[in-house]
Every structure is written in structure tokens, then in C-alpha cells.
Amino acid sequence: DMRFSFIGDVCGRCVVKPHESREHVRSVKIDRILTGRYTAIPAFLVIMGLVFWLTFGVIGAALQGLMEDGIAAIIASADAGLKAFGTNDVVRSLAVDGVLTGVGSVLTFLPIIVVLFLFLSILEDSGYMARVAFVMDKVLRRFGLSGRSFVPMLVGFGCTVPAIMSTRTLPSEHDRKMTVMLTPFMSCSAKLPVYGLLCGAFFPQATVPAMVSLYLIGIAVGCIAALVLNRTAFKGDPVPFIMELPNYRLPSVKTTVMLAWDKAKDFITKAFTIIFAATVVIWFLQTFDIRFNVVADQSQSLLAGLGSIIAPVLTPLGFGDWRASTALVTGLIAKESVISTLTVLLGATSPAALSTMFSPFTAYVFLVFTLLYPPCVAAIGAVKSELGARYAVAVFAFQVTVAWIVAFVVHSAGMLLGLA
């Protein structure tokens, strides 16, 4: 006390403090709301709700629609051109149904990726993201993570690929690897069409509660997985979280555009090649049988044979039909492929057609498995790009295992309660 009293006395007589800047005064006033004890979380939910609404419901959705129309026109023109040229049907199918359709389905997400990162870059450059990390640090530290991990996990509700890419900003390898392992459990927007289809078909009076329950299951499983990983593979505490909160400022247009372009370029160069190769493989498996003859019936294809091999593993979950397992396999390319595969194999996706394969309860278990197993090969490719092949395999195996266990628990609980 004597030492610090002496220091205080000397500083009081010798140190001249400058006047507080207007920027700092303004920042302090704003922080009373954005980092307040009772207002920080509600303010964050409002801001991020606005960002996601503009990205997935207004600007990004409109641009995605234009991109889809443009790609559809290009595919139709290419198909017509190949037909007029007299190209072999198999080669035409490879070019149109395999390469162009597969690559085009990925490119349609590019506008959403760019718009989302534009908004996140604005929030980051304005100084708000530093406040978000500060607010969430206390909550996430209980699960072995620091506050910085919250932003990638939040982005994961939109798309897992940029979410995993954004973990490179985390300063600690412990936090980064933990976040990469947990982010895929956050339900990405590509799964929404699958939720909407099956919930609308089997739970028409409770579609919204059924879909909300899936999001809550994903968050709960992520929290449990974080606790387990923090006590096993990633023992140790997260790094101390000390950071200076910068004054709020108007975002730089140049910086914002450069950050968004950097993420978009990574998405195109890293995910594009993986999707390209994977779509060609899926097309090949759907088109040929074991003797490499073109099949007239999908049930005779190599893909159906692969589905039949996987089906016994899924039988304890209540959906051991090869068509369900085949849809899950194609869903690794993109979750929307689950719907297209079921449409091809069932002839339609009406409630009557789906009821030949699912009951309401097994449909819900199928949705739980779809929620938790790997989002897509692009996400696994992003893990490989960030952490290497060993971690990509580990994330894939970890997610499949957790998805099977949770789906089995839900199915077993339903059997005990008489829901099956």
C-alpha cells in the first residue's frame, strides 16, 4: 500500500493526463448498451438476427436466386449444345448432370458467403466483434473455450466452410482445434430444406417446434462434446483472454471488401476442387452398375449397392432402408442432395411417398442423424486445409460416431415410450 501510495502521489504531481477523446466518450456510451450486464446478449441477438435476415432472407437470397437462374441457363444451354452436337449420352450426362450441376450447386452459395462476410467484416472493422468475444468469454470458458471461439460457431449456423476458415484468427492452437471439432455440430443453412421437407410431411401441425428442437439438440450436443474433448483429447484450459477494446469507428470500405474477397477466394479455390471431384464420383456411382453398364433403374447402380452395405449400420436407428442410407451418402456432397436423391428413388417427396420409408418417429430420428453427421465434403476439405488430413479424418469419424450414438439414444427412448 505504501509503494502504490508513493506511485500515486508522484503520478499526481508529475503526470499530465490528456483530455478524453470524443471517440472514447462515444464508445463508452455505446458500450453501456452493447456490453451492459443485462443488455449485451439481447443487443447481440438483435444485431446478428438482422445480419442473418439480410444475408439469408433479403440480399444474399436475392443474389443467390439470380446466380441459380444464371447457372440453370448455362446448364440448359450446354445440354442443348451437346445434344445438337450429337454427343454420346453418357458423356453428356457426365458434363451436365455431373460436372456442371455439381459445381453449379456450390457456386450458388457464393453470393451468400460474400454477403455474410461483408457484414461480419463491417462488424469486425467497427470494433463490435471484440465486444462479442468479451461478452461470450465467461460462458464459453466453462466448456473449455475462449470468447473468440463464439464467432466461428455463430457463422456455422450459416455455412460450416467459412466458419472453419474463420478459426484461423484464433491465437491458441487449443482453442482453434476445439472450435474446428465443434463447429460442424451447429446446424448449417443447407440442412433447412431437409428439415422443412420431413417436418412438413410428418409434423404438419408442429413444424416449427420440430425444427427448433433440432437446433437445440445440435447446440446441446456441441456443449457435451466440448466438455468431453476438454477432458480427453484437448486437456487444459483456454488461453487467458486479455484484449483491448478499440473505440468504435466507421468501417473502412477497402478493408471490408478485402476481407470479404479473401474469404470468397478461399471458398472458391479450396471447396470448388473438392466438390468437383466428389460430384464426378457420385455421378459415376449413380450411372453404372458393378459391370460398368449404364443402369436404367437406380436400384441397380453402384450407389445403391453402397447404400445396401451401409444400411445394416443404420438399422438400429430405425431407418435401415438402402434408399435412406443412399440419401445420407449423397448428402455428404451437399445436404440438398438428400432431397434430390429421395425424389429420384421414391419418384416423389409427397407425404404418401415418404411414408413408405419412414414413420413420423423414424423420420425424426433420421433428421437427428442428418443434423449431426458431417455437413458436406467441402466442410471436411476446409478442415483438411486448416489443420491437415489427420484432423479431417478425426472430425469425420467423430461426427459420424456422435450422430449414430445420439440417434440411437433418441430411437431407444422412443421405443421405451412407445413412439416407434
Side-chain angles (χ1 to χ4, degrees):
D1 181 68
M2 290 175 62
R3 179 181 182 183
F4 281 97
S5 296
F6 173 76
I7 293 172
D9 181 60
V10 171
C11 289
R13 287 186 284 114
C14 303
V15 176
V16 178
K17 295 183 179 180
H19 293 291
E20 190 175 16
S21 66
R22 288 180 298 175
E23 291 79 7
H24 186 259
V25 172
R26 183 174 62 239
S27 297
V28 170
K29 290 180 179 178
I30 296 174
D31 277 341
R32 289 173 186 169
I33 297 175
L34 297 186
T35 63
R37 183 174 182 180
Y38 302 106
T39 58
I41 299 297
F44 168 74
L45 294 176
V46 170
I47 291 172
M48 296 313 301
L50 181 62
V51 168
F52 278 94
W53 175 68
L54 290 173
T55 300
F56 297 103
V58 183
I59 302 174
L63 294 175
Q64 185 182 26
L66 293 175
M67 180 72 83
E68 287 175 347
D69 293 341
I71 290 174
I74 292 172
I75 293 174
S77 300
D79 190 25
L82 291 173
K83 278 184 181 179
F85 190 67
T87 307
N88 181 276
D89 288 342
V90 176
V91 176
R92 181 168 58 84
S93 176
L94 170 61
V96 176
D97 301 327
V99 176
L100 292 178
T101 302
V103 172
S105 65
V106 175
L107 288 178
T108 58
F109 287 100
L110 184 60
I112 285 182
I113 299 297
V114 173
V115 172
L116 178 61
F117 270 104
L118 276 173
F119 283 123
L120 293 180
S121 298
I122 290 172
L123 292 177
E124 183 178 352
D125 202 34
S126 67
Y128 178 65
M129 279 304 184
R131 272 80 177 175
V132 174
F134 163 74
V135 169
M136 297 305 300
D137 180 67
K138 186 175 181 179
V139 176
L140 292 181
R141 195 163 289 275
R142 297 176 182 176
F143 299 96
L145 295 168
S146 72
R148 293 180 185 272
S149 299
F150 183 72
V151 175
M153 297 175 76
L154 179 70
V155 176
F157 284 104
C159 182
T160 308
V161 175
I164 291 173
M165 290 178 180
S166 65
T167 60
R168 65 183 59 172
T169 61
L170 302 180
S172 162
E173 280 298 304
H174 170 276
D175 291 3
R176 188 182 182 201
K177 291 174 181 177
M178 278 273 287
T179 307
V180 168
M181 295 289 285
L182 298 174
T183 296
F185 289 118
M186 305 301 109
S187 182
C188 68
S189 60
K191 297 175 184 177
L192 275 174
V194 186
Y195 300 163
L197 173 69
L198 294 182
C199 289
F202 292 101
F203 314 108
Q205 305 302 320
T207 300
V208 174
M211 294 177 68
V212 170
S213 69
L214 293 170
Y215 279 89
L216 295 178
I217 288 174
I219 295 171
V221 170
C223 293
I224 295 171
L227 292 174
V228 172
L229 290 173
N230 193 45
R231 286 163 173 75
T232 54
F234 300 102
K235 288 184 179 180
D237 296 325
V239 295
F241 184 43
I242 301 174
M243 66 178 299
E244 179 184 357
L245 295 182
N247 291 332
Y248 289 101
R249 63 178 184 179
L250 289 175
S252 164
V253 175
K254 181 180 178 181
T255 303
T256 301
V257 172
M258 286 179 63
L259 286 171
W261 166 245
D262 184 55
K263 297 297 186 295
K265 184 174 64 175
D266 284 344
F267 177 77
I268 294 171
T269 55
K270 294 180 180 178
F272 185 89
T273 52
I274 297 169
I275 287 288
F276 174 83
T279 13
V280 172
V281 171
I282 291 296
W283 170 86
F284 181 85
L285 295 175
Q286 285 178 327
T287 305
F288 294 98
D289 61 16
I290 197 170
R291 296 179 181 82
F292 299 103
N293 296 315
V294 178
V295 297
D297 187 348
Q298 291 282 345
S299 63
Q300 304 300 319
S301 66
L302 286 167
L303 186 61
L306 178 62
S308 299
I309 295 173
I310 300 174
V313 180
L314 301 176
T315 300
L317 309 182
F319 47 90
D321 192 302
W322 71 268
R323 295 170 295 182
S325 56
T326 300
L328 290 173
V329 171
T330 58
L332 289 172
I333 303 300
K335 282 298 172 281
E336 295 87 352
S337 299
V338 173
I339 296 176
S340 60
T341 302
L342 292 177
T343 304
V344 170
L345 297 178
L346 297 175
T349 51
S350 62
L354 291 169
S355 62
T356 62
M357 187 168 61
F358 295 119
S359 68
F361 178 67
T362 55
Y364 188 79
V365 179
F366 181 84
L367 286 174
V368 170
F369 190 88
T370 303
L371 161 73
L372 298 175
Y373 90 118
C376 60
V377 291
I380 300 302
V383 176
K384 179 179 179 296
S385 300
E386 297 298 321
L387 299 180
R390 186 165 64 91
Y391 274 95
V393 173
V395 169
F396 184 88
F398 181 63
Q399 277 211 270
V400 171
T401 302
V402 170
W404 194 95
I405 292 172
V406 175
F408 179 76
V409 170
V410 173
H411 182 258
S412 300
M415 293 286 287
L416 292 174
L417 296 173
L419 299 176

